[in-house]
Amino acid sequence: MQIIQTYQNYITTLKAEKKAVIETLLENHCKDDATFKQVELNIIEIFEKMFEISVKKSNADATHPTDTLKVTFLAFFEKIPQNWHTQREKSRQFDDASTEYTETLKIEQANAMKHKFLSLLEEEAHGAH
């Protein structure tokens, strides 16, 4: 499946870009901004691990590996961010702008990764016909 290599390359590039931005921000004494970028990097790394788990599971499915990859990986995007949404709502209730912003960053980073995966799936599906 071409999608596996393509998505792994996407994650590798994304991580390198975030690390470079963090380094630049720290050099410019922008510690708060660097911390927020580190939050995004952490989310990328979490979903990188979930992708690896999903790939292993799909490799074990000789009949429908792409479907297994899709279902397994997308399930993580439903389950993992649930707590972030809850925490964001709580922080809104208590006017905790910093926590709200952090939770929003996590959700947005996860959504970006999910949308990239879905677009790659769609490309692979259309390319197969």
Side-chain angles (χ1 to χ4, degrees):
M1 286 184 291
Q2 181 62 36
I3 189 170
I4 293 172
Q5 187 61 51
T6 305
Y7 197 73
Q8 286 170 333
N9 290 344
Y10 160 74
I11 291 172
T12 301
T13 302
L14 201 55
K15 283 172 49 179
E17 288 170 356
K18 292 290 180 197
K19 287 176 182 178
V21 169
I22 290 167
E23 192 174 309
T24 301
L25 288 168
L26 290 174
E27 287 170 1
N28 293 322
H29 308 289
C30 301
K31 188 172 180 346
D32 289 345
D33 290 336
T35 299
F36 290 133
K37 292 298 175 190
Q38 183 63 51
V39 167
E40 293 173 343
L41 178 60
N42 293 346
I43 300 311
I44 295 165
E45 290 172 342
I46 287 169
F47 282 100
E48 177 181 37
K49 297 285 184 246
M50 298 307 104
F51 187 68
E52 290 168 7
I53 290 167
S54 302
V55 168
K56 285 179 184 170
K57 190 170 180 182
S58 75
N59 287 340
D61 184 347
T63 349
H64 303 289
T66 304
D67 290 340
T68 300
L69 177 66
K70 178 182 175 182
V71 169
T72 305
F73 192 47
L74 291 179
F76 289 119
F77 287 103
E78 297 304 315
K79 183 178 182 183
I80 293 172
Q82 285 177 351
N83 290 334
W84 305 336
H85 286 281
T86 303
Q87 191 61 39
R88 183 171 66 173
E89 287 309 310
K90 285 181 184 174
S91 62
R92 282 182 181 154
Q93 291 171 357
F94 294 104
D95 291 325
D96 181 356
S98 177
T99 301
E100 181 182 347
Y101 183 68
T102 301
E103 298 307 314
T104 299
L105 285 176
K106 293 176 184 178
I107 293 164
E108 288 176 352
Q109 184 62 65
N111 285 341
M113 295 182 75
K114 177 182 178 181
H115 291 301
K116 180 65 173 181
F117 179 71
L118 289 171
S119 72
L120 290 173
L121 271 176
E122 194 172 311
E123 285 175 26
E124 189 167 291
H126 290 309
H129 296 295

